[in-house]
Amino acid sequence: MKLLSFTTALLATLTAAHPVFDDLITPFTPLDYKRAPAASLRQISNFGSNPSNAKMYIYVPDNLAASPPIIVAIHYCTGTAQAYYTNSPYARLADQKGFIVIYPESPYSGTCWDVSSHATLTHNGGGNSNSIANMVDYTLKTYNGDATKVFVTGSSSGAMMTNVMAATYPALFAAGIVYSGVPAGCFYSQAGGTNAWNSSCANGQVNGTPQVWAKVVRDMYPGYEGARPKMEIYHGSADTTLNANNYNETIKQWAGVFGFDYLKPDTTQDNVPQSGYTTYTWGKGKLVGVYARGVGHSVPIRGSDDMEFFGL
């Protein structure tokens, strides 16, 4: 993997201008998060190799499906597995649909995820991404999970890690949903920092061509030629934590991976799924972009819409 070379190529494109999509998707009515799930959140300490010391928590509903799907739900900076379990809809939806939810927890002070190191940006590289992939493997084996229905999603730092998981372990996931993140590799630290902040990326100053961004993804798993997860990208136009230009760059990244023209979406739907949101699709839904006008950091989770995208 040649991270220095692709970062150099990426930074060389900083002055390139790319249009902002002003119309994307709108959400459904949020679920009632106050209703307690029927089962309980449990920590799993012996899930296998854990090179980055991330923690694993799991929610297994009482009405578990015979071969259950799995959703990996990744928290934001300052968050915890417990907080994301409580404040996201996935455990309640698991009660309805019989899937399992894995809630990883960051091992670092401040609980951001490592999306900057060579280790985490490499397939089986020994970083956070490796630990999370091993959580999935454990769950598939322990609960006879459906390996064709494994999904990943997250908010903010968890959204960044969602892009990284889709890039480093493409064969593991059928789909990913990103709530207000940055492209995979955008936070890469040339100094070798683990869990490092990248102000240039956060401020929307890293711009690349679809070809450069696609190479960033492919370099995370050299030689991989198999299927890749479909992706849905949410971002708010008023995001002051992770600038809205990161929406454009993430769309360009996955459009480049899939071979789509990011400037020519197949469909554009204004005020979908709600007023002020615009939804774009490419490749019959292989890539979906939802741009939320006037929404800050981060876009609220749309549980019902997520289930539809995941096919659950």
Side-chain angles (χ1 to χ4, degrees):
M1 179 177 171
K2 299 178 180 178
L3 284 167
L4 287 176
S5 63
F6 77 59
T7 303
T8 301
L10 188 59
L11 293 176
T13 66
L14 286 176
T15 58
H18 299 285
V20 174
F21 294 117
D22 287 328
D23 308 302
L24 286 171
I25 306 183
T26 343
F28 293 0
T29 303
L31 296 179
D32 180 6
Y33 295 170
K34 296 179 181 179
R35 182 176 61 81
S40 59
L41 186 68
R42 295 185 294 111
Q43 184 174 3
I44 304 295
S45 57
N46 59 343
F47 60 85
S49 176
N50 184 15
S52 71
N53 296 316
K55 297 178 182 178
M56 176 184 180
Y57 291 81
I58 192 169
Y59 182 79
V60 181
D62 292 337
N63 64 332
L64 185 64
S67 184
I70 297 167
I71 293 178
V72 181
I74 310 177
H75 67 72
Y76 42 86
C77 287
T78 75
T80 61
Q82 179 69 51
Y84 213 49
Y85 161 77
T86 301
N87 296 312
S88 68
Y90 302 114
R92 291 84 178 161
L93 289 163
D95 286 340
Q96 299 173 24
K97 297 177 178 293
F99 59 79
I100 293 172
V101 190
I102 299 170
Y103 295 93
E105 185 170 293
S106 167
Y108 309 111
S109 174
T111 66
C112 292
W113 290 97
D114 174 21
V115 292
S116 64
S117 73
H118 184 282
T120 202
L121 298 176
T122 304
H123 179 79
N124 290 343
N128 281 170
S129 60
N130 201 161
S131 291
I132 294 172
N134 290 344
M135 296 176 194
V136 174
D137 289 340
Y138 166 88
T139 305
L140 285 168
K141 294 172 184 175
T142 302
Y143 295 96
N144 189 34
D146 186 343
T148 69
K149 295 182 179 179
V150 180
F151 311 100
V152 60
T153 187
S155 300
S156 189
S157 182
M160 300 185 205
M161 181 54 76
T162 295
N163 277 324
V164 169
M165 294 307 300
T168 52
Y169 293 90
L172 196 57
F173 299 103
I177 299 177
V178 175
Y179 283 100
S180 305
V182 305
C186 192
F187 259 47
Y188 172 65
S189 169
Q190 293 194 41
T194 297
N195 186 33
W197 186 258
N198 186 315
S199 294
S200 295
C201 179
N203 293 335
Q205 298 168 337
V206 177
N207 301 289
T209 65
Q211 294 75 24
V212 169
W213 280 123
K215 186 177 186 301
V216 170
V217 169
R218 295 190 182 103
D219 283 353
M220 293 185 191
Y221 192 175
Y224 179 78
E225 299 293 342
R228 294 186 183 272
K230 66 178 184 176
M231 299 297 295
E232 185 166 32
I233 313 302
Y234 285 87
H235 215 105
S237 68
D239 194 326
T240 58
T241 301
L242 298 173
N243 185 276
N245 188 54
N246 283 299
Y247 165 79
N248 288 344
E249 300 306 303
T250 306
I251 290 293
K252 286 195 284 182
Q253 181 169 69
W254 292 111
V257 169
F258 296 136
F260 305 145
D261 184 342
Y262 80 100
L263 294 173
K264 297 179 180 179
D266 297 334
T267 64
T268 300
Q269 296 174 283
D270 295 334
N271 298 315
V272 174
Q274 70 183 45
S275 178
Y277 284 51
T278 305
T279 297
Y280 301 99
T281 65
W282 292 261
K284 298 180 179 179
K286 182 73 173 179
L287 175 61
V288 178
V290 183
Y291 195 71
R293 198 187 315 275
V295 176
H297 191 78
S298 62
V299 176
I301 296 170
R302 302 186 58 80
S304 297
D305 292 351
D306 290 0
M307 296 301 99
E308 183 176 356
F309 188 72
F310 288 156
L312 298 176

